């Protein structure tokens, strides 16, 4: 899907396999570059990895990545066919860091349930000093 510099939306349907994490990160990287995102791209890529991993491990079916954004703001959404909301677990190697990473890096996050599944979403913003330099 083509995006225009400055803002846009990207949606990618992913296979139900762990290789989809890399595919999602690549799509996110391309979108951020196309939008001229002024925040920490590494944070967005980590969030995408965590949400897609959670959907693959705890969800159902192939996840869908949807991102909207621009130079100052990014919203990441990952949907799957499970209606069960994610639950924070004790952080660590056994259960992962997933939602703890999301809480630390994002300005807000949540879950929207709908018939046939759910979407876990989060939002990130560029720091004001960096966002002010954006056109």
């Amino acid at each position: 899907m083509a995006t225009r510099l400055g803002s846009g939306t990207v949606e990618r349907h992913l296979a139900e396999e762990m290789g989809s994490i890399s595919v999602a990160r690549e799509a996110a990287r391309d979108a951020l570059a196309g939008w001229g995102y002024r925040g920490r791209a590494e944070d967005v890529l980590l969030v995408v990895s965590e949400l897609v991993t959670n959907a693959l491990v705890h969800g159902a079916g192939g996840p869908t990545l949807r991102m909207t954004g621009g130079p100052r703001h990014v919203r990441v959404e990952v949907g799957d066919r499970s209606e069960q909301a994610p639950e924070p677990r004790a952080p660590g190697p056994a259960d992962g860091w997933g939602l703890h990473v999301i809480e630390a890096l994002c300005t807000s996050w949540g879950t929207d349930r709908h018939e046939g599944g759910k979407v876990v979403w989060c939002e990130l913003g560029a720091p004001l000093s960096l966002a002010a330099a954006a056109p």
Side-chain angles (χ1 to χ4, degrees), residues 33-44:
W35 299 334
Y37 181 62
R38 302 282 184 168
R40 290 180 40 89
E42 299 84 10
D43 289 352
V44 178

Side-chain angles (χ1 to χ4, degrees), residues 26-72:
E26 182 178 335
R29 186 178 296 111
D30 291 346
L32 295 173
W35 299 334
Y37 181 62
R38 302 282 184 168
R40 290 180 40 89
E42 299 84 10
D43 289 352
V44 178
L45 298 177
L46 180 55
V47 165
V48 167
S49 295
E50 291 293 341
L51 291 181
V52 172
T53 299
N54 284 352
L56 290 166
V57 172
H58 304 290
T64 298
L65 169 68
R66 180 180 172 87
M67 293 178 56
T68 55
R72 297 177 179 94

Side-chain angles (χ1 to χ4, degrees), residues 47 60 62 64 66 76 80 97 103 106:
V47 165
T64 298
R66 180 180 172 87
V76 178
D80 68 73
W97 302 94
E103 289 175 351
C106 300

Side-chain angles (χ1 to χ4, degrees), residues 1 55 90 100 103 109:
M1 169 179 287
H100 299 282
E103 289 175 351
W109 75 277

Side-chain angles (χ1 to χ4, degrees), residues 7 13 19 23 27 36 40 42 52 60 65 81 84 89 93 102 121 124 126 129:
S7 65
H13 300 282
V23 172
R40 290 180 40 89
E42 299 84 10
V52 172
L65 169 68
R81 293 191 314 244
Q84 180 155 352
R89 301 168 193 253
I102 303 302
W121 59 268
L124 298 94
S129 61

